[in-house]
Amino acid sequence: QVQLVESGGRLVQAGGSLRLSCAASGRTFSSYAMGWFRQAPGKEREFVAAITSGGSTYYADSVKGRFTISGDSAKSTAYLQMNSLKPEDTAVYYCAAAHSQVVVTWRGGYDYWGRGTQVAVSS
């Protein structure tokens, strides 16, 4: 069993930056692929970024070049650095973990989820 807790979400102006953190506890952090998803009001939860234990990354087109996913095995923490934020990035951001050695980009591929952290970007 893995427990995930997100933090770092807040209100920020357009063009600003935020770093979200996802603290994992339970099983060995380095055994999992990690991902970030987001869900805006009235919309489906969508993929944002993913990283494998080996460091391979993948991004949704909407965030490519602006967001960076990373992981720190020593701290059992995954991060999402978000730059050049836009109002359309406003959403609840969720961290997820998957029993996988490859990048996972679909919701159903993840085994554990955090409760989310709210990001709001004002124009």
Side-chain angles (χ1 to χ4, degrees):
Q1 190 75 9
V2 175
Q3 293 80 42
L4 303 172
V5 179
E6 303 95 334
S7 62
R10 62 176 176 86
L11 175 65
V12 64
Q13 287 189 331
S17 297
L18 280 178
R19 188 177 79 158
L20 305 183
S21 299
C22 172
S25 60
R27 303 288 294 273
T28 305
F29 178 78
S30 59
S31 301
Y32 294 86
M34 302 296 294
W36 286 94
F37 287 72
R38 66 187 181 185
Q39 187 166 16
K43 295 188 176 182
E44 294 286 320
R45 191 172 301 187
E46 64 175 5
F47 169 77
V48 175
I51 187 169
T52 67
S53 59
S56 297
T57 58
Y58 190 82
Y59 298 91
D61 288 343
S62 60
V63 306
K64 200 172 295 183
R66 299 188 298 123
F67 290 11
T68 302
I69 187 171
S70 62
D72 186 335
S73 296
K75 296 182 178 180
S76 294
T77 301
Y79 302 97
L80 185 68
Q81 176 67 42
M82 305 188 295
N83 299 327
S84 302
L85 282 161
K86 305 175 182 179
E88 50 264 43
D89 294 318
T90 295
V92 177
Y93 282 71
Y94 296 91
C95 174
H99 291 285
S100 175
Q101 296 299 311
V102 300
V103 164
V104 180
T105 62
W106 66 98
R107 286 181 60 181
Y110 284 88
D111 303 286
Y112 306 101
W113 291 85
R115 299 184 68 175
T117 184
Q118 176 72 55
V119 172
V121 184
S122 63
S123 57

